[in-house]
Amino acid sequence: MQFTYKTKGTCSREILFDIEDGKVKNLQFIGGCNGNLKGIGALVDGMPIDEVIARVEGIQCGMKATSCPDQLAQALKEAKAQLRA
């Protein structure tokens, strides 16, 4: 299932991803630090949703209260809620 998440408080504007069999697939950030965000996408591809959330939730970017990885965790939590509904 395909998901789109509008980020809050980061340089990236949007996160696109699929969930297949409880795993993150085809992660793509729109905007933000291109190379770093492509790296995150490659690292989490095929990883279970809960593992990604546990690894990246709460990461901050500089003095910001959030980061692109933290926003990914929020996006995945929202996607999990939608899958349960």
Side-chain angles (χ1 to χ4, degrees):
M1 181 173 223
Q2 236 175 12
F3 293 91
T4 300
Y5 180 81
K6 300 281 185 193
T7 59
K8 299 159 194 79
T10 61
C11 298
S12 65
R13 299 180 305 277
E14 201 170 54
I15 304 172
L16 312 172
F17 59 96
D18 297 326
I19 301 292
E20 296 176 12
D21 299 321
K23 296 181 179 176
V24 179
K25 296 284 190 173
N26 306 316
L27 177 65
Q28 181 182 9
F29 287 84
I30 307 300
C33 303
N34 189 36
N36 290 330
L37 297 175
K38 282 182 181 175
I40 291 170
L43 290 170
V44 305
D45 191 58
M47 193 179 287
I49 296 170
D50 290 331
E51 186 174 345
V52 176
I53 293 169
R55 288 174 182 250
V56 302
E57 186 172 31
I59 292 174
Q60 295 179 314
C61 183
M63 300 300 291
K64 296 178 183 179
T66 191
S67 65
C68 292
D70 182 61
Q71 287 295 292
L72 173 59
Q74 304 316 309
L76 293 174
K77 287 163 85 177
E78 191 175 284
K80 275 182 62 174
Q82 288 180 27
L83 289 170
R84 278 182 265 179

